[in-house]
């Protein structure tokens, strides 16, 4: 299972906030187990939203730019989930979460796109046997009634 962000990513983006939001109620120390759970849940939520448009194969072959976009959304979603788990949510955290969800839903509905490393270029030349993510494929059986078969009618 792909996780789109790590604890190190969250530390880099929300260093001071992460320690405050994810501090264990008993010890006061940061609870990395719950943070990991939030990151896994956020990645699962991202895949569930994007499944409306992208296959598992598409999501596993995303290029670096698309992964960077998903990393940002994953951090915002995970941070919200972590804050909820510790009952330390705020309006700003909730707004970032809602915005990430809206953007992911827009991508899933075709108002944006993620790109993959391998696979189709969408050129439609048919030489490579690979298909671009929005390329239309038409497969039909060989025509039975052609001019040649009907004697040139």
């Amino acid at each position: 299972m792909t996780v789109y962000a790590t604890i190190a990513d969250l530390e880099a983006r929300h260093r001071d906030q992460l320690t405050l939001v994810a501090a264990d109620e008993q010890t006061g120390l940061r609870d990395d187990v719950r943070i990991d759970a939030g990151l896994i849940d956020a990645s699962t939520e991202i895949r569930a939203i994007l499944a409306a448009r992208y296959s598992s194969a598409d999501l596993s072959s995303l290029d670096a730019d698309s992964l960077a976009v998903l990393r940002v959304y994953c951090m915002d979603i995970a941070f919200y989930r972590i804050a909820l788990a510790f009952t330390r949510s705020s309006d700003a955290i909730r707004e970032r979460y809602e915005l990430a969800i809206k953007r992911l839903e827009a991508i899933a509905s075709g108002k944006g796109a993620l790109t993959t490393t391998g696979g189709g270029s969408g050129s439609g030349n048919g030489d490579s046997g690979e298909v671009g993510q929005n390329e239309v494929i038409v497969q039909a059986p060989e025509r039975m009634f052609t001019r040649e078969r009907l004697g040139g009618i």
Side-chain angles (χ1 to χ4, degrees), residues 80 89-99:
Y80 174 73
S89 187
S90 70
D91 288 339
I93 294 171
R94 184 181 45 78
E95 287 173 15
R96 286 197 315 253
Y97 166 79
E98 290 172 353
L99 185 59

Side-chain angles (χ1 to χ4, degrees), residues 31-44 78 81-82:
D31 188 344
D32 287 354
V33 173
R34 284 206 224 161
I35 294 171
D36 275 333
L39 290 165
I40 291 168
D41 290 346
S43 297
T44 301
R81 289 180 168 277
I82 293 162

Side-chain angles (χ1 to χ4, degrees), residues 22-93:
D24 183 83
E25 296 86 351
Q26 303 298 322
T27 64
L29 300 173
R30 191 177 79 188
D31 188 344
D32 287 354
V33 173
R34 284 206 224 161
I35 294 171
D36 275 333
L39 290 165
I40 291 168
D41 290 346
S43 297
T44 301
E45 188 170 359
I46 289 169
R47 280 191 301 282
I49 292 169
L50 294 177
R53 181 172 177 192
Y54 297 98
S55 69
S56 295
D58 290 335
L59 293 176
S60 62
S61 66
L62 294 175
D63 65 12
D65 290 338
S66 293
L67 288 172
V69 168
L70 293 184
R71 183 177 306 111
V72 171
Y73 296 154
C74 184
M75 286 188 287
D76 288 342
I77 294 168
F79 201 73
Y80 174 73
R81 289 180 168 277
I82 293 162
L84 284 180
F86 288 96
T87 61
R88 296 183 180 122
S89 187
S90 70
D91 288 339
I93 294 171

